Amino acid sequence: MTLDVIVVNFFGAQDVARCLASLSQWRQGIVWVVDNSNDPGEAQKLQAQCAGLDWVRLVISPENLGFGRGCNLAFAQSTADTVLLLNPDARITPTNITILAQALQSEPRWAAVSPRMFWNEARSFLLPLATAQTPGATVMSALVSHSRRGAAFLAERQLRRVQEQLRSEAPPFEVPMLAGSVMLLRRQAVLDAGGLFDPDYFMFFEDADLSLRLRKAGYSLAMVPAASAEHEYRHKAFKISMMATSQHLYFSKQYPAFYRWSGKLSRVTALARPVKLTNWFKVISKPVKTAQEFSACTDNRRVLAFSPSLLMMPALFRPSFNEAHCFTEEEWNLLEPACYAVLVQSTDLNRKPEWFYFERAAV
């Protein structure tokens, strides 16, 4: 079985260098690096990094095609039986890719598999599972905003469930959707589903669209906790408008009746209620600049999970709450300036954890 890797770059040459280093002389196929930057300087950096690596093929795109079409460009040139999509800010070792490949081979019904993904190099936080993009999930997300208790209950129940599912010794399990950041795909399944990514998506929701098409073609998707990777996901404000545009495209294509009924999602948006911060959280009143400041504001409580959503999910979480601690400098530096909900251990260990709200200030 041949296995190619596709990495799409956009002004992230340093990330690409670390990504290639983690693959360490890849010999099972070709690593395709697609440069979307449309910048001669960035292309030169990548050419220098790839020089002498006979297992790497650099493809310079004439324009910024977006993530999905960048992947398509390499997929069309690849002939491998399986293809790993890998974000440049993600890292996975050949050993873990082999674990994924063996899992995919063992179950012909699976079109794609992904590893459990850690947020940081210290592996002190796990990323949540990809959220299924369905009409029901979209409406539920709006309705949850009506009840602080309901939202907290669902968020904490989801944390416990996923924490159990993603133990390293846990068996593979099927999921409705996989994120495109680290995803191993069976070529034949992709072809049966009509191709890799729909070129109408520039960025975001292309993986939701692919996941749904693969399932409609009769395949399943699975997480393989025995395999692991790192993905330094960063919550950036500019992504919000791009995600909204792609969300409209996705629902108009995949759920056209719901999209029309919902008034192009406007009725769903109207269902949501604004979160009253002081009713939902213990609010840290001033923007926080450092990990030490945050620790002082929370009486050095252990951080169990955090979310960029005021609905408290999906949330990044500790692999084990028993080994939790306050934010370290490394963790804090990965947090983009933004507002977050954070679950911290109560000072009374016999009481339930508490949700705080804080703004991570720019330094």
Side-chain angles (χ1 to χ4, degrees):
M1 180 181 71
T2 52
L3 197 161
D4 282 2
V5 182
I6 296 175
V7 181
V8 175
N9 173 67
F10 183 72
F11 290 102
Q14 187 173 357
D15 285 333
V16 171
R18 296 175 68 195
C19 183
L20 293 178
S22 74
L23 294 171
S24 182
Q25 299 297 318
W26 184 248
R27 294 302 178 194
Q28 296 186 45
I30 297 170
V31 176
W32 300 88
V33 177
V34 179
D35 182 32
N36 259 345
S37 308
N38 193 22
D39 179 83
E42 185 74 3
Q44 286 179 354
K45 290 178 186 177
L46 293 172
Q47 286 165 348
Q49 290 170 1
C50 298
L53 303 180
D54 59 358
W55 43 281
V56 178
R57 299 286 185 277
L58 178 61
V59 179
I60 306 296
S61 171
E63 59 180 316
N64 181 9
L65 299 172
F67 174 74
R69 280 181 286 171
C71 289
N72 290 349
L73 193 63
F75 188 82
Q77 298 181 54
S78 167
T79 59
D81 305 315
T82 51
V83 175
L84 178 73
L85 306 182
L86 186 61
N87 270 27
D89 57 355
R91 293 177 296 281
I92 186 169
T93 64
T95 298
N96 283 289
I97 297 174
T98 298
I99 294 171
L100 286 178
Q102 289 172 343
L104 190 65
Q105 267 191 312
S106 70
E107 183 48 76
R109 294 183 304 110
W110 291 348
V113 293
S114 287
R116 62 177 184 155
M117 284 185 273
F118 289 92
W119 177 52
N120 55 339
E121 195 170 341
R123 298 196 160 198
S124 55
F125 278 99
L126 278 164
L127 295 180
L129 300 179
T131 303
Q133 301 299 326
T134 63
T138 304
V139 172
M140 178 59 72
S141 179
L143 292 176
V144 161
S145 65
H146 291 239
S147 168
R148 185 264 175 207
R149 261 186 208 177
F153 172 78
L154 289 175
E156 291 165 30
R157 186 180 70 172
Q158 175 75 351
L159 282 173
R160 289 191 295 270
R161 185 172 72 87
V162 179
Q163 198 175 49
E164 179 67 19
Q165 288 177 312
L166 290 180
R167 291 177 298 111
S168 60
E169 65 274 18
F173 58 96
E174 292 188 7
V175 291
M177 178 185 160
L178 291 174
S181 53
V182 186
M183 183 198 302
L184 182 65
L185 290 148
R186 192 188 305 274
R187 174 177 289 276
Q188 189 57 55
V190 171
L191 297 177
D192 291 343
L196 189 55
F197 290 127
D198 183 333
D200 287 347
Y201 296 88
F202 183 79
M203 185 177 289
F204 302 121
F205 279 82
E206 66 283 308
D207 47 8
D209 179 271
L210 175 61
S211 294
L212 190 55
R213 285 190 288 111
L214 288 168
R215 290 168 55 215
K216 286 181 176 179
Y219 292 93
S220 299
L221 313 169
M223 292 292 299
V224 182
S228 61
E230 296 166 18
H231 180 205
E232 293 183 351
Y233 164 82
R234 290 178 179 267
H235 174 63
K236 294 183 180 288
F238 75 84
K239 295 179 179 179
I240 297 173
S241 62
M242 295 177 68
M243 290 184 74
T245 299
S246 294
Q247 182 187 38
H248 279 271
L249 177 62
Y250 170 80
F251 278 102
S252 68
K253 279 175 170 281
Q254 295 294 358
Y255 298 99
F258 171 75
Y259 189 67
R260 289 192 302 270
W261 170 85
S262 66
K264 298 182 178 179
L265 303 181
S266 63
R267 291 191 181 96
V268 178
T269 303
L271 282 175
R273 296 288 179 268
V275 170
K276 296 181 179 179
L277 294 179
T278 54
N279 292 347
W280 282 52
F281 304 102
K282 287 194 170 183
V283 177
I284 297 176
S285 57
K286 298 188 304 182
V288 186
K289 290 185 178 180
T290 66
Q292 290 84 355
E293 281 184 36
F294 178 86
S295 179
C297 291
T298 57
D299 298 323
N300 200 32
R301 300 188 196 192
R302 295 184 295 165
V303 174
L304 308 180
F306 70 92
S307 175
S309 168
L310 295 183
L311 299 180
M312 301 166 274
M313 57 182 175
L316 290 78
F317 58 95
R318 301 286 189 192
S320 169
F321 286 172
N322 292 331
E323 299 173 9
H325 46 75
C326 202
F327 281 125
T328 65
E329 286 296 328
E330 182 239 10
E331 293 165 352
W332 187 260
N333 290 336
L334 277 178
L335 280 177
E336 288 292 317
C339 297
Y340 298 91
V342 59
L343 183 65
V344 300
Q345 182 64 57
S346 172
T347 50
D348 180 352
L349 297 182
N350 294 317
R351 295 183 61 188
K352 288 183 62 177
E354 298 172 292
W355 286 96
F356 275 65
Y357 166 89
F358 75 99
E359 179 183 346
R360 198 284 198 211
V363 178

